[in-house]
Amino acid sequence: MIVSPSLLSADFGNLARDLEMINQSKAQMLHLDVMDGVFVPNISFGFPVIKYVQQLCKKPLDVHLMIVEPQKFVNEVRDCGAEIMNVHFEVCNHLDRVVQQIHDAGMKAGVTINPATPVCLLRDIVAQLDLVLLMSVNPGFGGQKFIPNTLNKVRELRALIAETGSKAVIEVDGGVNDVTGKQLAEAGADVLVAGNYVFKAQDPLKAIETLYNL
Ligand code: DX5
Ligand code: ZN
């Protein structure tokens, strides 16, 4: 399993220490949650923080934008050194264009859907995507409870990817732990995002390894 720990749950007073832990871990990516207080009812961190993270973190950056009008910030995200730029389906009137902009900027394109957004709405875009991010909580906060219907959505998305010949990987975000992670692995997820389960663990390296071994 590919593991992408979510920095939102890290200790921001000891960011360099937490990033060194990520460097030493089996995590293959680092997930960064950008919030604008408009699309989601919370504000997190922005580009200056991500640039600093990029200098210290050896793993590819998986940037999850929970913001309106993400198309305005494609170059800023690229300049932060992101490997993957995830935009929400719910905020893009011209999703096909945004995906092209992300690719033209040299990044992998991810599209994220909220728990109440059906997988079938991705039918005409999924072949162009490198990643689909399924939210398994309502976005905006770490530490929420996993929504079990996500397992059905993973199975449905797996079938849609096969049917359309897409190369997209399936990432799941929210309420992931050893138990829900195992269920997601069985349903066909490729990448697990985990915030609280990793950073609030007694032994974060071991928590990452547990998910990695699923
Ligand atoms: C929620 C964010 C998540 C969050 C996950 O809006 O997108 O990435 O950090 O946190 P946990 O794993 O604690 O649910
Ligand atoms: Zn996220």
Side-chain angles (χ1 to χ4, degrees):
M1 179 63 68
I2 297 171
V3 186
S4 190
S6 172
L7 197 71
L8 193 63
S9 301
D11 178 354
F12 285 88
N14 288 292
L15 207 46
R17 181 202 65 192
D18 282 4
L19 289 170
E20 188 47 34
M21 181 279 290
I22 295 294
N23 288 340
Q24 300 303 322
S25 78
K26 289 201 153 77
Q28 297 96 321
M29 301 199 270
L30 179 67
H31 187 85
L32 296 152
D33 291 300
V34 179
M35 304 179 189
D36 66 356
V38 178
F39 177 59
V40 290
N42 198 7
I43 293 177
S44 56
F45 49 78
F47 304 127
V49 174
I50 302 179
K51 277 187 182 142
Y52 170 75
V53 168
Q54 202 256 337
Q55 286 170 25
L56 295 179
C57 183
K58 297 193 180 108
K59 313 282 172 140
L61 303 185
D62 162 32
V63 177
H64 176 196
L65 295 174
M66 283 162 274
I67 64 171
V68 298
E69 303 191 299
Q71 71 279 3
K72 287 184 178 170
F73 301 103
V74 173
N75 289 339
E76 279 82 354
V77 174
R78 190 257 331 270
D79 292 346
C80 285
E83 171 153 318
I84 303 166
M85 174 167 167
N86 286 294
V87 297
H88 266 263
F89 176 88
E90 297 84 4
V91 297
C92 295
N93 290 330
H94 303 287
L95 186 59
D96 184 272
R97 180 184 289 145
V98 183
V99 168
Q100 280 183 43
Q101 287 173 333
I102 296 170
H103 282 150
D104 289 347
M107 293 179 287
K108 291 183 179 165
V111 168
T112 310
I113 60 172
N114 278 339
T117 302
V119 166
C120 61
L121 293 178
L122 297 174
R123 171 170 292 277
D124 291 333
I125 193 71
V126 73
Q128 276 124 270
L129 302 180
D130 302 289
L131 183 148
V132 174
L133 174 53
L134 298 178
M135 290 309 301
S136 41
V137 297
N138 288 292
F141 305 92
Q144 301 182 81
K145 205 169 165 290
F146 180 79
I147 297 172
N149 184 49
T150 312
L151 298 170
N152 297 326
K153 293 177 80 171
V154 172
R155 288 187 277 266
E156 197 183 336
L157 179 57
R158 181 52 66 215
L160 182 65
I161 285 171
E163 194 189 322
T164 55
S166 167
K167 293 194 169 63
V169 297
I170 303 177
E171 180 175 42
V172 182
D173 183 7
V176 171
N177 55 36
D178 51 342
V179 176
T180 56
K182 187 163 189 289
Q183 294 168 345
L184 287 163
E186 285 165 5
D190 302 300
V191 186
L192 298 179
V193 176
N196 268 34
Y197 178 69
V198 167
F199 287 99
K200 307 293 185 213
Q202 289 242 334
D203 185 345
L205 287 172
K206 201 170 148 218
I208 291 171
E209 192 167 356
T210 300
L211 298 179
Y212 177 88
N213 287 329
L214 288 175

Tab-separated table of all heavy atoms in Angstrom, residues 35-90:
chain	number	residue	atom	x	y	z
A	35	MET	N	-6.476	24.779	2.864
A	35	MET	CA	-7.895	25.142	3.067
A	35	MET	C	-8.064	26.650	3.014
A	35	MET	O	-7.177	27.384	3.473
A	35	MET	CB	-8.370	24.641	4.429
A	35	MET	CG	-8.182	23.157	4.624
A	35	MET	SD	-8.747	22.682	6.268
A	35	MET	CE	-8.167	20.985	6.317
A	36	ASP	N	-9.228	27.085	2.507
A	36	ASP	CA	-9.412	28.525	2.293
A	36	ASP	C	-10.498	29.160	3.158
A	36	ASP	O	-10.750	30.362	3.052
A	36	ASP	CB	-9.703	28.810	0.811
A	36	ASP	CG	-11.033	28.221	0.346
A	36	ASP	OD1	-11.707	27.522	1.133
A	36	ASP	OD2	-11.406	28.476	-0.813
A	37	GLY	N	-11.184	28.387	3.999
A	37	GLY	CA	-12.259	28.959	4.811
A	37	GLY	C	-13.505	29.303	4.006
A	37	GLY	O	-14.434	29.912	4.546
A	38	VAL	N	-13.527	28.948	2.722
A	38	VAL	CA	-14.686	29.214	1.852
A	38	VAL	C	-15.271	27.887	1.370
A	38	VAL	O	-16.423	27.569	1.661
A	38	VAL	CB	-14.287	30.096	0.645
A	38	VAL	CG1	-15.478	30.326	-0.280
A	38	VAL	CG2	-13.722	31.424	1.134
A	39	PHE	N	-14.457	27.111	0.688
A	39	PHE	CA	-14.920	25.782	0.257
A	39	PHE	C	-15.119	24.864	1.455
A	39	PHE	O	-16.030	24.039	1.480
A	39	PHE	CB	-13.939	25.165	-0.746
A	39	PHE	CG	-14.332	23.773	-1.162
A	39	PHE	CD1	-15.553	23.522	-1.773
A	39	PHE	CD2	-13.489	22.694	-0.923
A	39	PHE	CE1	-15.932	22.240	-2.133
A	39	PHE	CE2	-13.860	21.414	-1.291
A	39	PHE	CZ	-15.088	21.189	-1.898
A	40	VAL	N	-14.233	24.987	2.434
A	40	VAL	CA	-14.360	24.209	3.677
A	40	VAL	C	-14.356	25.162	4.872
A	40	VAL	O	-13.775	26.245	4.782
A	40	VAL	CB	-13.216	23.169	3.829
A	40	VAL	CG1	-13.353	22.053	2.820
A	40	VAL	CG2	-11.846	23.831	3.722
A	41	PRO	N	-14.999	24.771	5.963
A	41	PRO	CA	-15.111	25.692	7.108
A	41	PRO	C	-13.878	25.691	8.006
A	41	PRO	O	-13.983	25.577	9.220
A	41	PRO	CB	-16.349	25.156	7.846
A	41	PRO	CG	-16.381	23.708	7.515
A	41	PRO	CD	-15.774	23.541	6.155
A	42	ASN	N	-12.710	25.822	7.387
A	42	ASN	CA	-11.464	25.857	8.164
A	42	ASN	C	-10.369	26.454	7.277
A	42	ASN	O	-10.508	26.484	6.044
A	42	ASN	CB	-11.087	24.427	8.584
A	42	ASN	CG	-10.081	24.393	9.727
A	42	ASN	OD1	-9.746	25.426	10.315
A	42	ASN	ND2	-9.590	23.207	10.027
A	43	ILE	N	-9.304	26.923	7.907
A	43	ILE	CA	-8.144	27.456	7.181
A	43	ILE	C	-6.919	26.722	7.713
A	43	ILE	O	-6.783	26.535	8.930
A	43	ILE	CB	-8.020	28.983	7.404
A	43	ILE	CG1	-9.206	29.701	6.735
A	43	ILE	CG2	-6.697	29.511	6.859
A	43	ILE	CD1	-9.240	31.207	6.939
A	44	SER	N	-6.051	26.287	6.808
A	44	SER	CA	-4.861	25.559	7.285
A	44	SER	C	-3.598	26.357	6.994
A	44	SER	O	-3.318	27.334	7.672
A	44	SER	CB	-4.805	24.152	6.670
A	44	SER	OG	-4.841	24.219	5.260
A	45	PHE	N	-2.846	25.949	5.986
A	45	PHE	CA	-1.585	26.643	5.663
A	45	PHE	C	-1.522	26.857	4.161
A	45	PHE	O	-2.290	26.267	3.408
A	45	PHE	CB	-0.376	25.826	6.160
A	45	PHE	CG	-0.435	24.369	5.766
A	45	PHE	CD1	-0.107	23.964	4.473
A	45	PHE	CD2	-0.834	23.402	6.685
A	45	PHE	CE1	-0.170	22.630	4.104
A	45	PHE	CE2	-0.906	22.051	6.314
A	45	PHE	CZ	-0.577	21.682	5.022
A	46	GLY	N	-0.571	27.687	3.741
A	46	GLY	CA	-0.476	28.017	2.319
A	46	GLY	C	0.904	27.799	1.745
A	46	GLY	O	1.717	27.045	2.287
A	47	PHE	N	1.190	28.488	0.651
A	47	PHE	CA	2.389	28.220	-0.138
A	47	PHE	C	3.716	28.443	0.600
A	47	PHE	O	4.640	27.648	0.419
A	47	PHE	CB	2.338	29.029	-1.442
A	47	PHE	CG	1.091	28.743	-2.244
A	47	PHE	CD1	0.261	29.766	-2.679
A	47	PHE	CD2	0.736	27.430	-2.553
A	47	PHE	CE1	-0.892	29.488	-3.403
A	47	PHE	CE2	-0.411	27.136	-3.278
A	47	PHE	CZ	-1.232	28.174	-3.705
A	48	PRO	N	3.862	29.487	1.434
A	48	PRO	CA	5.160	29.653	2.114
A	48	PRO	C	5.512	28.437	2.972
A	48	PRO	O	6.677	28.036	3.036
A	48	PRO	CB	4.950	30.901	2.984
A	48	PRO	CG	3.829	31.628	2.337
A	48	PRO	CD	2.936	30.581	1.751
A	49	VAL	N	4.504	27.851	3.611
A	49	VAL	CA	4.758	26.676	4.454
A	49	VAL	C	5.140	25.481	3.567
A	49	VAL	O	6.086	24.737	3.872
A	49	VAL	CB	3.517	26.345	5.321
A	49	VAL	CG1	3.712	25.039	6.080
A	49	VAL	CG2	3.231	27.489	6.283
A	50	ILE	N	4.429	25.315	2.456
A	50	ILE	CA	4.716	24.165	1.577
A	50	ILE	C	6.130	24.274	0.996
A	50	ILE	O	6.838	23.277	0.879
A	50	ILE	CB	3.662	24.030	0.456
A	50	ILE	CG1	2.270	23.889	1.063
A	50	ILE	CG2	3.970	22.828	-0.433
A	50	ILE	CD1	1.155	23.780	0.059
A	51	LYS	N	6.548	25.496	0.675
A	51	LYS	CA	7.914	25.671	0.139
A	51	LYS	C	8.958	25.235	1.165
A	51	LYS	O	9.956	24.607	0.824
A	51	LYS	CB	8.150	27.148	-0.227
A	51	LYS	CG	7.594	27.462	-1.601
A	51	LYS	CD	7.959	28.850	-2.071
A	51	LYS	CE	7.322	29.100	-3.423
A	51	LYS	NZ	6.842	30.455	-3.595
A	52	TYR	N	8.719	25.564	2.416
A	52	TYR	CA	9.632	25.177	3.492
A	52	TYR	C	9.611	23.648	3.665
A	52	TYR	O	10.658	23.015	3.803
A	52	TYR	CB	9.191	25.889	4.767
A	52	TYR	CG	9.858	25.438	6.029
A	52	TYR	CD1	11.178	25.800	6.328
A	52	TYR	CD2	9.167	24.655	6.950
A	52	TYR	CE1	11.774	25.391	7.495
A	52	TYR	CE2	9.755	24.238	8.128
A	52	TYR	CZ	11.069	24.610	8.393
A	52	TYR	OH	11.656	24.185	9.553
A	53	VAL	N	8.406	23.074	3.607
A	53	VAL	CA	8.264	21.613	3.727
A	53	VAL	C	9.053	20.931	2.603
A	53	VAL	O	9.764	19.953	2.828
A	53	VAL	CB	6.769	21.210	3.674
A	53	VAL	CG1	6.607	19.697	3.494
A	53	VAL	CG2	6.045	21.687	4.932
A	54	GLN	N	8.945	21.488	1.418
A	54	GLN	CA	9.602	20.871	0.262
A	54	GLN	C	11.125	20.836	0.421
A	54	GLN	O	11.779	19.894	-0.004
A	54	GLN	CB	9.214	21.644	-0.995
A	54	GLN	CG	9.363	20.837	-2.274
A	54	GLN	CD	10.591	21.233	-3.049
A	54	GLN	OE1	11.101	22.335	-2.905
A	54	GLN	NE2	11.079	20.332	-3.876
A	55	GLN	N	11.662	21.856	1.096
A	55	GLN	CA	13.115	21.877	1.302
A	55	GLN	C	13.571	20.767	2.243
A	55	GLN	O	14.670	20.254	2.126
A	55	GLN	CB	13.535	23.224	1.892
A	55	GLN	CG	13.511	24.354	0.876
A	55	GLN	CD	13.683	25.707	1.544
A	55	GLN	OE1	14.247	25.825	2.624
A	55	GLN	NE2	13.164	26.737	0.906
A	56	LEU	N	12.703	20.404	3.196
A	56	LEU	CA	13.110	19.440	4.216
A	56	LEU	C	12.639	18.012	3.940
A	56	LEU	O	13.180	17.062	4.493
A	56	LEU	CB	12.564	19.869	5.588
A	56	LEU	CG	13.114	21.182	6.142
A	56	LEU	CD1	12.487	21.492	7.480
A	56	LEU	CD2	14.630	21.129	6.274
A	57	CYS	N	11.611	17.886	3.097
A	57	CYS	CA	11.002	16.563	2.908
A	57	CYS	C	11.531	15.907	1.636
A	57	CYS	O	11.516	16.515	0.570
A	57	CYS	CB	9.482	16.710	2.829
A	57	CYS	SG	8.649	15.112	2.693
A	58	LYS	N	11.986	14.672	1.784
A	58	LYS	CA	12.555	13.960	0.624
A	58	LYS	C	11.483	13.235	-0.177
A	58	LYS	O	11.753	12.693	-1.244
A	58	LYS	CB	13.598	12.949	1.108
A	58	LYS	CG	14.793	13.587	1.801
A	58	LYS	CD	15.927	12.572	1.974
A	58	LYS	CE	17.128	13.171	2.665
A	58	LYS	NZ	17.292	12.689	4.054
A	59	LYS	N	10.260	13.163	0.344
A	59	LYS	CA	9.188	12.411	-0.350
A	59	LYS	C	8.409	13.361	-1.266
A	59	LYS	O	8.298	14.557	-0.992
A	59	LYS	CB	8.232	11.807	0.686
A	59	LYS	CG	8.920	11.093	1.845
A	59	LYS	CD	9.416	9.711	1.455
A	59	LYS	CE	10.274	9.115	2.574
A	59	LYS	NZ	10.075	7.718	2.816
A	60	PRO	N	7.838	12.797	-2.356
A	60	PRO	CA	7.023	13.618	-3.258
A	60	PRO	C	5.832	14.239	-2.531
A	60	PRO	O	5.238	13.605	-1.645
A	60	PRO	CB	6.540	12.615	-4.314
A	60	PRO	CG	7.429	11.433	-4.195
A	60	PRO	CD	7.926	11.395	-2.782
A	61	LEU	N	5.499	15.464	-2.913
A	61	LEU	CA	4.392	16.165	-2.242
A	61	LEU	C	3.081	15.974	-2.996
A	61	LEU	O	2.992	16.185	-4.205
A	61	LEU	CB	4.713	17.659	-2.114
A	61	LEU	CG	6.009	18.013	-1.385
A	61	LEU	CD1	6.135	19.527	-1.222
A	61	LEU	CD2	6.124	17.316	-0.026
A	62	ASP	N	2.073	15.591	-2.232
A	62	ASP	CA	0.721	15.286	-2.718
A	62	ASP	C	-0.163	16.405	-2.140
A	62	ASP	O	-0.521	16.377	-0.967
A	62	ASP	CB	0.395	13.887	-2.139
A	62	ASP	CG	-1.047	13.497	-2.120
A	62	ASP	OD1	-1.784	13.921	-3.015
A	62	ASP	OD2	-1.429	12.711	-1.213
A	63	VAL	N	-0.420	17.439	-2.976
A	63	VAL	CA	-1.088	18.646	-2.471
A	63	VAL	C	-2.589	18.569	-2.729
A	63	VAL	O	-3.027	18.419	-3.877
A	63	VAL	CB	-0.477	19.919	-3.110
A	63	VAL	CG1	-1.227	21.167	-2.649
A	63	VAL	CG2	1.003	20.036	-2.759
A	64	HIS	N	-3.365	18.656	-1.663
A	64	HIS	CA	-4.829	18.557	-1.707
A	64	HIS	C	-5.406	19.952	-1.460
A	64	HIS	O	-5.393	20.444	-0.327
A	64	HIS	CB	-5.277	17.563	-0.621
A	64	HIS	CG	-6.755	17.431	-0.472
A	64	HIS	ND1	-7.325	16.845	0.633
A	64	HIS	CD2	-7.789	17.773	-1.280
A	64	HIS	CE1	-8.642	16.854	0.502
A	64	HIS	NE2	-8.947	17.414	-0.652
A	65	LEU	N	-5.898	20.570	-2.542
A	65	LEU	CA	-6.415	21.937	-2.434
A	65	LEU	C	-7.906	21.919	-2.119
A	65	LEU	O	-8.721	21.542	-2.963
A	65	LEU	CB	-6.184	22.681	-3.743
A	65	LEU	CG	-4.724	22.917	-4.137
A	65	LEU	CD1	-4.648	23.530	-5.514
A	65	LEU	CD2	-4.010	23.801	-3.124
A	66	MET	N	-8.262	22.333	-0.914
A	66	MET	CA	-9.677	22.483	-0.539
A	66	MET	C	-10.008	23.962	-0.637
A	66	MET	O	-10.239	24.642	0.367
A	66	MET	CB	-9.886	21.936	0.880
A	66	MET	CG	-9.936	20.422	0.917
A	66	MET	SD	-9.651	19.772	2.569
A	66	MET	CE	-7.884	19.728	2.546
A	67	ILE	N	-9.941	24.464	-1.876
A	67	ILE	CA	-10.126	25.903	-2.116
A	67	ILE	C	-10.999	26.098	-3.343
A	67	ILE	O	-11.037	25.235	-4.228
A	67	ILE	CB	-8.770	26.628	-2.345
A	67	ILE	CG1	-8.070	26.126	-3.626
A	67	ILE	CG2	-7.833	26.416	-1.155
A	67	ILE	CD1	-6.838	26.934	-4.026
A	68	VAL	N	-11.681	27.240	-3.401
A	68	VAL	CA	-12.402	27.606	-4.620
A	68	VAL	C	-11.383	28.140	-5.640
A	68	VAL	O	-10.299	28.599	-5.269
A	68	VAL	CB	-13.516	28.653	-4.351
A	68	VAL	CG1	-14.562	28.081	-3.404
A	68	VAL	CG2	-12.932	29.954	-3.798
A	69	GLU	N	-11.725	28.067	-6.897
A	69	GLU	CA	-10.906	28.587	-7.996
A	69	GLU	C	-9.444	28.101	-7.976
A	69	GLU	O	-8.502	28.902	-8.060
A	69	GLU	CB	-10.949	30.128	-8.001
A	69	GLU	CG	-12.379	30.644	-8.099
A	69	GLU	CD	-12.470	32.132	-8.375
A	69	GLU	OE1	-11.985	32.933	-7.550
A	69	GLU	OE2	-13.019	32.484	-9.434
A	70	PRO	N	-9.248	26.790	-7.851
A	70	PRO	CA	-7.867	26.278	-7.787
A	70	PRO	C	-7.078	26.553	-9.065
A	70	PRO	O	-5.845	26.591	-9.030
A	70	PRO	CB	-8.059	24.771	-7.575
A	70	PRO	CG	-9.405	24.477	-8.135
A	70	PRO	CD	-10.236	25.697	-7.850
A	71	GLN	N	-7.787	26.783	-10.181
A	71	GLN	CA	-7.100	27.044	-11.459
A	71	GLN	C	-6.218	28.293	-11.406
A	71	GLN	O	-5.308	28.445	-12.207
A	71	GLN	CB	-8.113	27.135	-12.618
A	71	GLN	CG	-9.004	28.352	-12.641
A	71	GLN	CD	-10.206	28.267	-11.715
A	71	GLN	OE1	-10.373	27.300	-10.975
A	71	GLN	NE2	-11.060	29.287	-11.740
A	72	LYS	N	-6.513	29.173	-10.427
A	72	LYS	CA	-5.706	30.400	-10.309
A	72	LYS	C	-4.315	30.134	-9.730
A	72	LYS	O	-3.460	31.015	-9.741
A	72	LYS	CB	-6.410	31.399	-9.380
A	72	LYS	CG	-7.628	32.051	-9.988
A	72	LYS	CD	-8.170	33.082	-9.005
A	72	LYS	CE	-9.369	33.810	-9.573
A	72	LYS	NZ	-10.026	34.629	-8.530
A	73	PHE	N	-4.132	28.951	-9.150
A	73	PHE	CA	-2.913	28.712	-8.365
A	73	PHE	C	-2.040	27.569	-8.895
A	73	PHE	O	-1.177	27.075	-8.170
A	73	PHE	CB	-3.289	28.461	-6.898
A	73	PHE	CG	-4.035	29.617	-6.286
A	73	PHE	CD1	-5.412	29.554	-6.106
A	73	PHE	CD2	-3.359	30.775	-5.937
A	73	PHE	CE1	-6.104	30.636	-5.572
A	73	PHE	CE2	-4.044	31.855	-5.396
A	73	PHE	CZ	-5.420	31.791	-5.216
A	74	VAL	N	-2.269	27.169	-10.140
A	74	VAL	CA	-1.515	26.035	-10.695
A	74	VAL	C	-0.004	26.313	-10.654
A	74	VAL	O	0.777	25.467	-10.211
A	74	VAL	CB	-1.982	25.729	-12.140
A	74	VAL	CG1	-1.097	24.669	-12.785
A	74	VAL	CG2	-3.442	25.286	-12.139
A	75	ASN	N	0.404	27.495	-11.075
A	75	ASN	CA	1.844	27.788	-11.106
A	75	ASN	C	2.435	27.884	-9.699
A	75	ASN	O	3.563	27.448	-9.464
A	75	ASN	CB	2.128	29.076	-11.889
A	75	ASN	CG	1.900	28.862	-13.377
A	75	ASN	OD1	1.911	27.723	-13.854
A	75	ASN	ND2	1.674	29.941	-14.101
A	76	GLU	N	1.670	28.426	-8.767
A	76	GLU	CA	2.149	28.518	-7.375
A	76	GLU	C	2.375	27.116	-6.799
A	76	GLU	O	3.359	26.873	-6.107
A	76	GLU	CB	1.153	29.271	-6.489
A	76	GLU	CG	1.225	30.769	-6.591
A	76	GLU	CD	0.471	31.313	-7.798
A	76	GLU	OE1	-0.021	30.518	-8.631
A	76	GLU	OE2	0.384	32.551	-7.918
A	77	VAL	N	1.432	26.213	-7.094
A	77	VAL	CA	1.565	24.841	-6.575
A	77	VAL	C	2.780	24.171	-7.211
A	77	VAL	O	3.585	23.531	-6.532
A	77	VAL	CB	0.268	24.028	-6.826
A	77	VAL	CG1	0.444	22.573	-6.418
A	77	VAL	CG2	-0.906	24.652	-6.063
A	78	ARG	N	2.955	24.365	-8.501
A	78	ARG	CA	4.135	23.815	-9.196
A	78	ARG	C	5.421	24.391	-8.587
A	78	ARG	O	6.376	23.658	-8.330
A	78	ARG	CB	4.036	24.165	-10.680
A	78	ARG	CG	5.044	23.466	-11.577
A	78	ARG	CD	6.206	24.335	-12.027
A	78	ARG	NE	5.940	25.751	-12.144
A	78	ARG	CZ	5.502	26.361	-13.241
A	78	ARG	NH1	5.266	25.672	-14.340
A	78	ARG	NH2	5.309	27.663	-13.239
A	79	ASP	N	5.423	25.693	-8.314
A	79	ASP	CA	6.627	26.335	-7.770
A	79	ASP	C	6.935	25.872	-6.342
A	79	ASP	O	8.047	26.075	-5.848
A	79	ASP	CB	6.484	27.863	-7.804
A	79	ASP	CG	6.480	28.392	-9.234
A	79	ASP	OD1	6.858	27.630	-10.159
A	79	ASP	OD2	6.081	29.561	-9.440
A	80	CYS	N	5.962	25.276	-5.685
A	80	CYS	CA	6.198	24.701	-4.351
A	80	CYS	C	6.844	23.322	-4.467
A	80	CYS	O	7.125	22.682	-3.452
A	80	CYS	CB	4.884	24.522	-3.594
A	80	CYS	SG	4.209	26.049	-2.978
A	81	GLY	N	6.996	22.825	-5.683
A	81	GLY	CA	7.621	21.515	-5.874
A	81	GLY	C	6.651	20.355	-5.765
A	81	GLY	O	7.084	19.219	-5.538
A	82	ALA	N	5.357	20.618	-5.934
A	82	ALA	CA	4.378	19.524	-5.813
A	82	ALA	C	4.523	18.528	-6.958
A	82	ALA	O	4.761	18.913	-8.099
A	82	ALA	CB	2.967	20.094	-5.814
A	83	GLU	N	4.364	17.259	-6.626
A	83	GLU	CA	4.324	16.234	-7.681
A	83	GLU	C	2.885	16.022	-8.155
A	83	GLU	O	2.633	15.833	-9.338
A	83	GLU	CB	4.896	14.918	-7.150
A	83	GLU	CG	4.675	13.772	-8.130
A	83	GLU	CD	5.696	12.671	-8.023
A	83	GLU	OE1	6.886	12.969	-7.885
A	83	GLU	OE2	5.276	11.498	-8.079
A	84	ILE	N	1.962	16.071	-7.206
A	84	ILE	CA	0.544	15.866	-7.522
A	84	ILE	C	-0.256	17.078	-7.054
A	84	ILE	O	-0.091	17.531	-5.913
A	84	ILE	CB	-0.007	14.615	-6.805
A	84	ILE	CG1	0.812	13.371	-7.172
A	84	ILE	CG2	-1.487	14.394	-7.134
A	84	ILE	CD1	0.549	12.196	-6.253
A	85	MET	N	-1.113	17.591	-7.929
A	85	MET	CA	-2.032	18.672	-7.538
A	85	MET	C	-3.446	18.114	-7.607
A	85	MET	O	-3.923	17.728	-8.677
A	85	MET	CB	-1.869	19.872	-8.477
A	85	MET	CG	-2.881	20.974	-8.222
A	85	MET	SD	-2.434	22.527	-9.067
A	85	MET	CE	-3.993	23.429	-8.906
A	86	ASN	N	-4.094	18.073	-6.451
A	86	ASN	CA	-5.478	17.583	-6.346
A	86	ASN	C	-6.439	18.753	-6.250
A	86	ASN	O	-6.312	19.586	-5.344
A	86	ASN	CB	-5.661	16.781	-5.049
A	86	ASN	CG	-5.018	15.428	-5.113
A	86	ASN	OD1	-5.442	14.585	-5.896
A	86	ASN	ND2	-4.009	15.220	-4.296
A	87	VAL	N	-7.424	18.782	-7.150
A	87	VAL	CA	-8.469	19.812	-7.074
A	87	VAL	C	-9.810	19.134	-6.818
A	87	VAL	O	-10.008	17.979	-7.212
A	87	VAL	CB	-8.546	20.646	-8.375
A	87	VAL	CG1	-7.243	21.397	-8.608
A	87	VAL	CG2	-8.891	19.785	-9.585
A	88	HIS	N	-10.722	19.854	-6.182
A	88	HIS	CA	-12.040	19.274	-5.924
A	88	HIS	C	-12.941	19.403	-7.142
A	88	HIS	O	-13.056	20.487	-7.739
A	88	HIS	CB	-12.693	19.946	-4.705
A	88	HIS	CG	-12.432	19.190	-3.447
A	88	HIS	ND1	-13.319	18.293	-2.918
A	88	HIS	CD2	-11.344	19.176	-2.649
A	88	HIS	CE1	-12.807	17.766	-1.813
A	88	HIS	NE2	-11.613	18.287	-1.627
A	89	PHE	N	-13.599	18.305	-7.481
A	89	PHE	CA	-14.608	18.273	-8.532
A	89	PHE	C	-15.655	19.359	-8.302
A	89	PHE	O	-16.102	20.022	-9.242
A	89	PHE	CB	-15.277	16.885	-8.517
A	89	PHE	CG	-16.409	16.732	-9.479
A	89	PHE	CD1	-16.181	16.330	-10.777
A	89	PHE	CD2	-17.711	16.998	-9.084
A	89	PHE	CE1	-17.215	16.202	-11.674
A	89	PHE	CE2	-18.760	16.884	-9.976
A	89	PHE	CZ	-18.519	16.484	-11.274
A	90	GLU	N	-16.041	19.550	-7.028
A	90	GLU	CA	-17.180	20.415	-6.692
A	90	GLU	C	-16.928	21.903	-6.971
A	90	GLU	O	-17.880	22.677	-6.999
A	90	GLU	CB	-17.553	20.229	-5.210
A	90	GLU	CG	-18.028	18.824	-4.844
A	90	GLU	CD	-16.886	17.843	-4.558
A	90	GLU	OE1	-15.713	18.264	-4.575
A	90	GLU	OE2	-17.185	16.659	-4.330
